[in-house]
Amino acid sequence: MNPRQKELVQSSFAKVAPIAEQAADLFYGRLFEIDPALRPMFPENMKEQKIKLMQMLTAAVKGLDNLETLVPVVRQLGARHTGYGVKEEHYGTVAAALLWTLEKGLGEAFTPETKEAWVVVYGILAATMQEGASSAAAAGA
Ligand code: HEM
């Protein structure tokens, strides 16, 4: 991730913040459309989940300025995801739903360069979560 990519992710996410609720609706709608088998992993009532996801994304995007603090938090998030039944292959499905949501939410502001920046940043988050999951598994957690 270079400074320009960090800036693009932060400035584009700031545009999604005012429509966070709709963005979360779009995201989970798309996620369960791509892979309906994921639906039963989540609670029936998604209200809180939607808030938690947007809060965590907000913290992660802000945290790009301070990776030493962000990384342990994201590793722990990844370790908890093992307990939710999340497997490595699911991260690609979530990436697809996220990029689709950003495209819907941002329209023309979601330029190819902005999309590439999100691909890079999501890749870092997903890899860090997966690392957290594997080291927790290795430690027998
Ligand atoms: C960047 C990627 C992701 C972020 C930021 C994220 C964020 C979150 C957050 C904040 C929670 C609330 C609980 C907690 O903090 O432990 C959560 C729960 C959950 N996430 Fe994720 N997640 C990501 C990727 C995924 C993926 C790839 C899946 C696979 C389908 C997934 C499935 C779930 C499930 C099933 C729950 C638990 C729902 C429940 O039982 O309450 N997440 N996620």
Side-chain angles (χ1 to χ4, degrees), residues 51-61 73-74 77 80:
I51 296 168
K52 284 182 197 162
L53 173 81
M54 294 312 287
Q55 282 174 344
M56 180 55 87
L57 279 176
T58 306
V61 165
V73 174
V74 174
L77 178 69
R80 291 198 298 277

Side-chain angles (χ1 to χ4, degrees), residues 28 31 38 41-43 49 52-53 56-57 77 80-81 84 86-87 90-91 94 122 125-126 129:
Y28 284 109
L31 184 67
L38 296 179
M41 290 167 70
F42 290 87
Q49 179 66 29
K52 284 182 197 162
L53 173 81
M56 180 55 87
L57 279 176
L77 178 69
R80 291 198 298 277
H81 275 66
Y84 306 145
V86 175
K87 306 263 181 280
H90 295 142
Y91 284 89
V94 163
Y122 177 84
L125 288 179
M129 286 177 73

Side-chain angles (χ1 to χ4, degrees), residues 12 98-100 102-103 106-112 114-115 118:
S12 59
L98 180 67
L99 293 171
W100 180 90
L102 289 165
E103 192 176 341
L106 293 170
E108 287 192 357
F110 196 55
T111 62
T114 303
K115 180 176 180 175
W118 272 97

Side-chain angles (χ1 to χ4, degrees), residues 2 4-5 8-9 109-119:
N2 62 38
R4 164 95 179 140
Q5 288 170 328
L8 282 172
V9 165
F110 196 55
T111 62
E113 197 190 4
T114 303
K115 180 176 180 175
E116 178 57 26
W118 272 97
V119 168

